[in-house]
Amino acid sequence: MIGVIKDGEHMMKNKKILLALILLLSFVMMSCTKAIEQDKADIVIENEKPVEGGAINIGSVEPGSLNPLLNNSKSYSEISGLIFQSLVEYDKNLRITPVLAQSWGFDNGSSKLVVKLKNNVLWSDGESFTAGDVKFSLDTIKASKDSIYKNNIEHIYSYKVKDNETIEIVFDQPFAAAIDMLSFPIIPQHIYKSNLDAVPVGTGIFKVSEYNKFKSMELIYNDKWNGEGKPYIEKIKVTFINDIEAFSTAFQFKELDLLNTTSYDWEKYSEKKDVNAYKYSTMYYDFIGLNYNNPVFQDKAVRKAMIQGINRRLILSKYLLGNAVVTDVPINPISWLNDGENLMYGYSRSEAENLLKTAGFADSNNDGVLDREVGGIKQELKFTLLTNNENDFRKKAAEDIKKNLEEIGFGIEIKLVAFADLKAAIDSKAFDAVLTGYNLSNTQDLSFAFHSTQIENGNNFMSYSNTDMDNLLYQAYTAPDDNRRKEVYKRLQQSFREEIPCISLFFRDAALVVRSKIQGEIKPDAANPYRSIYQWFVPESKR
């Protein structure tokens, strides 16, 4: 009958259909596999190898002077480090290493330093580098009213050329950082004696090939350079930008290939596909300065309660996006002088409360603020925390500090003022506590802030005074060699952790934000963000 299929025929037909489906599926899978294999064959991944050539664009504030000894622009100072060299420089761990100096030593334990110079160094124009150039550089700093290197020669009593390869420098006293003081750029006498603002001629890895006033400067490899290796990058264009705030815009519009930024939110640049950020620790140290004319702060238990009562890691995470390092001492963890000890003080509300209780504080009138009586005088844990209102981080951090300390029995009032007013309050010591920071020197001398001799006419604005600390600071300042210096700094840090002269918060990070076209060993550091530039390269595919 039409339309009726017997069971056997039905089964046979189903088998045929199933076989056809299996064959079809197998064909499709084989086709897909071949396509995938073909796709894989078409993808060729090559490791980009360093090759010479290519150019990069860097920004700089237009310097008041092209002379590195008379310039006051940080961005230009960093770039001039590619053109000029110093007798010595700081390495990535802030230890002094020789550059134009070959060796040095104090004469018979005196304060007379004899420096021997390298004898095979040429300026980029082919003239020989001599001790006369060092003397001329010292003369230039000495004659300047506002050179940023004025402090470097503060303790230099006299200096003279012994011969072309030897200069003798007499200091007014022996001190540990004497060699550090020679870390200023050396300029050529034959170029600058007739024009202190001449187009730069140096001994560095790059030289100036073109200069357009107020616009740009072009750098190429200095073929007279006697340093390590030859850079792969053929040309660096330096664009002068008048407004420091315009650097970010210029970078985002790809007018610049790199940006050295201390802004803690640099990850916003890394979100772009063609940008990488290379983080490094800086010497910028955030802390709470205490006015020791307030008797409450003279009690070490109060200071210890404060450092343990503030959740420093949370503040760092919330407002600096993790781009800083919590510290108990003002010696950067990257430094060769850091003792390597872990943090002594973590966040502990219970420990802070116990310290205050042991010190005799209690809430006698149930107002939420702890107090005690000393010599018939009532002391309350109340103070005003001062900071500058232009700094968003500090405004937010102050609120968290207030919250943390009030939870353990303090009464805190936050006062926000303009930076000029903040400085005036610090100078006149008209404050209780101040949330502020120091951009510490690479010498890592702390006498300026914590030695009692600096209270009246120095920078010890906190009026901190401690005989043991004074002795350690003096020993650190006058240490005769690195071993002794390291030993004293270890004891100094131990004393700092015990005494807590101020409430240490963080050492901030910075970042070199770089277009991905720049590859190689990009390793910025606090002393020199461009230290590894001779290892950078631009692949041919990115030019």
Side-chain angles (χ1 to χ4, degrees):
M1 293 191 311
I2 298 173
V4 178
I5 301 176
K6 295 181 180 178
D7 290 342
E9 292 175 335
H10 180 74
M11 291 175 64
M12 184 63 68
K13 190 165 185 177
N14 283 346
K15 286 181 179 179
K16 289 180 179 178
I17 292 171
L18 181 61
L19 180 61
L21 286 172
I22 291 171
L23 289 171
L24 178 62
L25 182 60
S26 298
F27 175 76
V28 170
M29 289 178 69
M30 289 175 64
S31 298
C32 289
T33 301
K34 287 182 179 179
I36 291 170
E37 289 175 350
Q38 183 64 40
D39 285 346
K40 285 182 179 178
D42 290 341
I43 297 173
V44 179
I45 299 175
E46 293 182 358
N47 291 323
E48 299 279 15
K49 296 181 179 179
V51 287
E52 291 186 10
I56 63 174
N57 298 311
I58 298 178
S60 169
V61 171
E62 171 77 19
S65 172
L66 294 175
N67 186 327
L69 298 177
L70 305 180
N71 154 69
N72 57 9
S73 160
K74 181 178 182 292
S75 59
Y76 179 71
S77 289
E78 292 170 348
I79 290 167
S80 69
L82 303 174
I83 306 169
F84 296 93
Q85 292 178 299
S86 305
L87 294 176
V88 296
E89 70 178 8
Y90 293 98
D91 68 10
K92 65 181 181 179
N93 300 120
L94 304 178
R95 187 191 288 269
I96 282 291
T97 57
V99 183
L100 293 175
Q102 180 172 291
S103 62
W104 55 81
F106 284 96
D107 189 9
N108 296 323
S110 69
S111 57
K112 182 191 295 182
L113 182 69
V114 179
V115 182
K116 284 286 186 181
L117 308 178
K118 291 181 178 177
N119 59 12
N120 59 345
V121 178
L122 298 176
W123 296 102
S124 60
D125 62 359
E127 292 289 320
S128 294
F129 159 69
T130 71
D133 297 312
V134 179
K135 180 181 182 300
F136 179 76
S137 300
L138 284 162
D139 289 342
T140 301
I141 297 172
K142 187 176 181 179
S144 170
K145 292 181 179 179
D146 56 1
S147 170
I148 60 173
Y149 298 102
K150 206 74 173 174
N151 288 341
N152 290 58
I153 67 169
E154 180 183 6
H155 293 291
I156 293 179
Y157 177 74
S158 66
Y159 48 89
K160 65 180 179 180
V161 172
K162 298 289 287 183
D163 56 51
N164 277 346
E165 296 173 13
T166 312
I167 187 162
E168 180 183 283
I169 302 172
V170 179
F171 292 89
D172 60 9
Q173 61 178 316
F175 67 108
I179 310 302
D180 301 51
M181 297 301 102
L182 305 183
S183 59
F184 54 84
I186 304 299
I187 60 176
Q189 181 176 206
H190 70 280
I191 294 294
Y192 288 96
K193 65 182 178 182
S194 58
N195 179 9
L196 280 176
D197 196 29
V199 174
V201 171
T203 58
I205 190 170
F206 288 93
K207 67 179 180 180
V208 178
S209 58
E210 184 179 311
Y211 172 63
N212 299 303
K213 193 170 184 179
F214 304 128
K215 292 183 179 179
S216 64
M217 185 165 66
E218 187 177 274
L219 308 181
I220 60 173
Y221 171 57
N222 173 17
D223 56 4
K224 303 295 189 299
W225 187 55
N226 73 336
E228 181 182 357
K230 178 183 178 182
Y232 296 107
I233 291 171
E234 183 178 34
K235 188 182 297 182
I236 299 174
K237 182 181 178 182
V238 181
T239 301
F240 294 128
I241 300 173
N242 290 330
D243 183 4
I244 192 73
E245 301 298 327
F247 275 67
S248 176
T249 303
F251 182 78
Q252 293 188 61
F253 279 94
K254 299 188 176 182
E255 295 169 11
L256 303 177
D257 290 323
L258 61 84
L259 186 68
N260 188 19
T261 178
T262 55
S263 173
Y264 51 82
D265 61 345
W266 61 71
E267 279 87 353
K268 66 185 179 185
Y269 302 110
S270 301
E271 293 172 0
K272 299 179 183 296
K273 293 181 179 179
D274 66 335
V275 171
N276 297 310
Y278 300 87
K279 185 164 76 169
Y280 63 95
S281 183
T282 74
M283 294 300 287
Y284 198 91
Y285 167 71
D286 284 289
F287 66 99
I288 300 173
L290 309 173
N291 190 335
Y292 280 83
N293 294 311
N294 183 335
V296 170
F297 293 136
Q298 293 174 15
D299 189 333
K300 186 164 48 178
V302 172
R303 306 196 296 271
K304 285 188 175 182
M306 289 178 69
I307 199 168
Q308 291 186 88
I310 298 171
N311 195 336
R312 295 178 292 169
R313 290 192 185 280
L314 183 60
I315 292 172
L316 162 60
S317 175
K318 285 170 64 176
Y319 305 126
L320 292 178
L321 306 180
N323 293 319
V325 179
V326 177
T327 185
D328 289 339
V329 296
I331 302 294
N332 196 307
I334 66 167
S335 169
W336 70 282
L337 288 173
N338 188 283
D339 61 9
E341 296 292 331
N342 293 325
L343 285 177
M344 178 181 288
Y345 300 108
Y347 173 62
S348 176
R349 178 174 172 177
S350 60
E351 182 63 26
E353 289 173 336
N354 185 57
L355 280 164
L356 295 174
K357 181 180 179 181
T358 303
F361 285 96
D363 188 3
S364 64
N365 56 2
N366 296 317
D367 65 350
V369 177
L370 300 182
D371 59 80
R372 70 181 177 185
E373 190 172 295
V374 178
I377 299 174
K378 184 178 181 181
Q379 291 182 347
E380 289 187 294
L381 291 181
K382 273 187 177 182
F383 66 86
T384 299
L385 179 61
L386 189 67
T387 197
N388 52 310
N389 58 18
E390 304 96 335
N391 191 309
D392 285 339
F393 157 69
R394 287 191 183 141
K395 287 193 291 186
K396 294 172 183 175
E399 291 293 342
D400 274 33
I401 291 168
K402 171 184 167 72
K403 178 177 180 292
N404 285 164
L405 292 182
E406 288 186 340
E407 286 173 347
I408 61 172
F410 283 80
I412 312 293
E413 178 188 351
I414 295 174
K415 187 176 181 181
L416 303 175
V417 297
F419 180 74
D421 295 329
L422 178 73
K423 187 176 183 305
I426 288 173
D427 291 343
S428 63
K429 302 183 181 181
F431 68 94
D432 290 329
V434 57
L435 176 58
T436 187
Y438 280 134
N439 190 14
L440 294 171
S441 166
N442 289 341
T443 67
Q444 301 168 84
D445 172 46
L446 301 173
S447 301
F448 77 98
F450 301 105
H451 199 284
S452 61
T453 59
Q454 302 301 304
I455 292 175
E456 292 301 321
N457 298 309
N459 290 309
N460 185 349
F461 68 87
M462 294 177 284
S463 301
Y464 175 75
S465 178
N466 179 285
T467 302
D468 291 338
M469 184 69 74
D470 282 352
N471 289 335
L472 285 169
L473 289 168
Y474 180 75
Q475 290 176 44
Y477 188 77
T478 57
D481 55 56
D482 283 356
N483 290 335
R484 175 63 176 160
R485 195 176 178 190
K486 178 83 172 175
E487 176 192 330
V488 175
Y489 266 84
K490 182 176 182 178
R491 288 161 48 205
L492 179 61
Q493 288 164 84
Q494 290 171 345
S495 178
F496 208 97
R497 291 187 183 95
E498 177 59 28
E499 285 297 315
I500 316 177
C502 65
I503 310 302
S504 296
L505 298 176
F506 330 102
F507 272 102
R508 294 203 198 187
D509 293 331
L512 202 60
V513 184
V514 180
R515 297 258 170 239
S516 58
K517 79 172 194 178
I518 303 176
Q519 298 183 16
E521 295 292 318
I522 302 174
K523 296 180 177 179
D525 58 64
N528 184 357
Y530 302 134
R531 188 181 302 280
S532 64
I533 195 168
Y534 69 95
Q535 295 177 299
W536 302 2
F537 66 94
V538 180
E540 291 181 347
S541 61
K542 304 273 188 182
R543 296 176 191 172

